Amino acid sequence: MRPIFSPQSLPELFSIRNAHPDARLMAGGTDLLVRLRKQPADDRPLILLERIEALQRIETADTEIVIGAGVCFSRIATGECATTEIGVLAQAAATIGGPALRNMATIGGNVCTASPAGDSLPALYVLDASVELASAQGTRIMPVGEFISGPGKTQLGENEILLAIHIPRKRPAWTIQRYEKIGKRKSLAIAVASMAAALHLDENGIVHEARLAWGSVGPTVMRCPEAEEALLGRRLAADAIEAAAAFVPGSVRPIDDIRATAAYRRRVCANLLLRLLDS
Amino acid sequence: MTHRLHFTLNGQAISHPCDPDCRVIDLLREQMGLTGTKEGCGTGECGACTILVDGTPKLACLMVAAQLDGKSVETVESLEKSEEGRKILQAFVEHGAVQCGFCTPGMEMASLAMLRSGRPLDRMAIRSGLSGNLCRCTGYVKIVDAVAQACKGTDR
């Protein structure tokens, strides 16, 4: 049997961790409990994070939106957190699992699991999100792209937890935000490929700023600066998007796996960009 | 260390000694004798084990008993005790929305949460509300028909 702790506050959490350095943290449990079931001999203690109030906040400040690591995806998907400003994240959240799973799975869990297929990650990259890490000694902040260092790998220290995600408020706001996901079905499917896009267009419809990121096509989220640059100064029309899309297959680093071949993924990544034409 | 778990189960206060890391699906089925809730995939991909915790749909296969402390749990066995629950049961019967029946408890609990939400429910909204519940028999049409009937007159 596995001991279970359910701290109500951060100080309580840090003291439990101090006493049980081998304990694992569990947020929503939707990934962890599946993994642990395959390891019945593992009896390391579990520390449940769901009752810690400090992880549940969503705050909109002057310059940023702060989402507690324990916030579940149904809250992010349904507009409680100023979804127009961070719409690409809300769209990504809505594609995760199904309704009941979204009531459990958390944004902090998705970031710390650092799966190449993590649905919220491309959205967080294009929104320039940072993670706030906390330990008994204090907090530190770093960009999400720096925090995630490889598949399943993060910079989270042994005594640290992910406290919150910080998303800078874009001024002026992004004109277009899009999240696209290719899976076997619309629900309950792991991404074969996904794309997040945030674009700023001026009053004449000319692209001023473009941020693009792809998921499930590399060890972590993949960017393509050449494609972003190819859109700048141009109208968001078929020729510009096709020019940008030409850079994508060479920039992503997909593998063949049970869900799709690498060749298919390269092609579909570029094609996802064409969906911006429907904007 | 056996844990004494305190929670409300289908309206009744429960104080039950159990391992805190016992899966909720096993607690309900093996220890509480409530075998209505089904385990399909055991990995959060089918929705058969959907229960309501403090009114919110969750997956009993991906929760441990300790998470229920102080919470209120509703399972498919509670449906016959409420008017909205009986509406759902009756609609599933009338529309032939049950074939093998394995997904039905999860479908009905997801439907209950939708009904209670008070949101306007057109067929797309119903499909979206049921999108976490797999059925391998019906083709879903009769299930959506049933929920559409159960929802009639419940929009607030």
Side-chain angles (χ1 to χ4, degrees):
Chain A
M1 196 201 68
R2 190 181 278 128
I4 300 215
F5 299 95
S6 197
Q8 313 269 332
S9 68
L10 291 173
E12 195 186 340
L13 164 69
F14 292 132
S15 93
I16 293 168
R17 276 199 111 179
N18 211 23
H20 302 272
D22 64 331
R24 286 177 212 272
L25 300 176
M26 176 173 132
T30 55
D31 275 311
L32 182 65
L33 291 178
V34 173
R35 285 209 300 276
L36 290 184
R37 243 194 126 192
K38 295 176 189 152
Q39 307 166 37
D42 181 304
D43 59 357
R44 286 166 57 182
L46 276 186
I47 303 176
L48 310 183
L49 300 176
E50 63 182 10
R51 301 199 183 202
I52 302 175
E53 202 65 41
L55 302 180
Q56 293 297 332
R57 68 200 167 119
I58 296 179
E59 285 166 14
T60 303
D62 258 3
T63 56
E64 61 175 7
I65 295 171
V66 182
I67 304 177
V71 172
C72 68
F73 283 115
S74 52
R75 276 177 74 191
I76 294 171
T78 51
E80 183 183 330
C81 56
T83 47
T84 48
E85 267 185 63
I86 53 171
V88 64
L89 180 63
Q91 291 171 42
T95 70
I96 293 173
L101 196 104
R102 290 195 287 275
N103 290 332
M104 305 166 72
T106 67
I107 188 159
N110 206 227
V111 170
C112 287
T113 298
S115 161
D119 283 310
S120 73
L121 304 181
L124 292 175
Y125 277 61
V126 297
L127 292 174
D128 228 354
S130 294
V131 294
E132 181 181 3
L133 311 172
S135 70
Q137 281 70 47
T139 63
R140 57 180 181 139
I141 289 193
M142 70 170 77
V144 66
E146 203 175 299
F147 178 68
I148 295 174
S149 50
K153 290 203 180 77
T154 68
Q155 300 291 324
L156 191 70
E158 274 185 17
N159 301 311
E160 280 180 320
I161 64 153
L162 174 56
L163 194 62
I165 312 291
H166 292 248
I167 300 172
R169 296 181 71 181
K170 175 80 177 157
R171 303 259 165 73
W174 295 109
T175 322
I176 295 172
Q177 293 188 64
R178 282 287 284 276
Y179 182 81
E180 296 286 347
K181 172 173 167 179
I182 301 292
K184 296 271 183 201
R185 301 182 284 263
K186 278 194 183 170
S187 288
L188 300 171
I190 298 176
V192 162
S194 61
M195 181 192 77
L199 303 168
H200 182 242
L201 275 52
D202 69 12
E203 60 275 14
N204 302 315
I206 304 295
V207 179
H208 258 221
E209 203 177 342
R211 295 177 66 86
L212 307 168
W214 287 265
S216 265
V217 288
T220 62
V221 169
M222 295 280 105
R223 304 294 299 270
C224 180
E226 299 89 343
E228 291 174 354
E229 209 160 299
L231 292 174
L232 299 185
R234 303 187 67 171
R235 203 168 286 283
L236 197 62
D239 57 342
I241 293 178
E242 278 166 20
F247 291 105
V248 178
S251 296
V252 296
R253 288 158 54 205
I255 56 168
D256 292 324
D257 71 8
I258 185 170
R259 289 188 291 282
T261 62
Y264 173 77
R265 286 181 154 119
R266 283 184 201 282
R267 186 161 172 186
V268 90
C269 276
N271 289 350
L272 283 178
L273 203 51
L274 303 179
R275 291 194 182 179
L276 288 177
L277 275 177
D278 310 331
S279 301
Chain B
M1 89 180 164
T2 297
H3 177 87
R4 185 159 279 278
L5 188 64
H6 299 276
F7 68 112
T8 304
L9 180 55
N10 294 335
Q12 196 187 341
I14 302 275
S15 170
H16 176 74
C18 73
D19 289 345
D21 68 335
C22 167
R23 292 189 313 160
V24 168
I25 181 80
D26 297 328
L27 172 77
L28 293 173
R29 292 180 55 86
E30 311 295 331
Q31 297 178 38
M32 298 288 141
L34 296 180
T35 53
T37 306
K38 302 290 186 258
E39 178 173 7
C41 65
T43 57
E45 295 176 58
C46 79
C49 67
T50 303
I51 57 171
L52 303 190
V53 179
D54 286 354
T56 303
K58 298 212 169 167
L59 301 172
C61 75
L62 293 181
M63 292 184 78
V64 293
Q67 290 177 271
L68 297 185
D69 252 325
K71 304 281 183 183
S72 171
V73 175
E74 293 166 87
T75 68
V76 68
E77 285 87 353
S78 71
L79 285 181
E80 60 182 9
K81 294 177 195 154
S82 72
E83 194 186 333
E84 57 202 347
R86 286 191 295 270
K87 239 182 195 172
I88 293 170
L89 294 173
Q90 189 59 32
F92 270 64
V93 169
E94 285 174 14
H95 287 272
V98 179
Q99 285 188 32
C100 89
F102 207 83
C103 73
T104 309
M107 289 282 182
E108 291 179 342
M109 295 314 282
S111 305
L112 180 63
M114 264 192 281
L115 241 71
R116 283 186 186 162
S117 74
R119 276 178 291 132
L121 292 168
D122 58 15
R123 289 184 77 85
M124 270 319 288
I126 293 169
R127 287 174 60 171
S128 160
L130 295 177
S131 63
N133 298 81
L134 294 189
C135 172
R136 305 286 79 166
C137 311
T138 62
Y140 300 100
V141 173
K142 293 175 174 193
I143 296 176
V144 176
D145 290 345
V147 180
Q149 177 187 310
C151 291
K152 260 186 216 154
T154 60
D155 290 357
R156 270 162 267 157

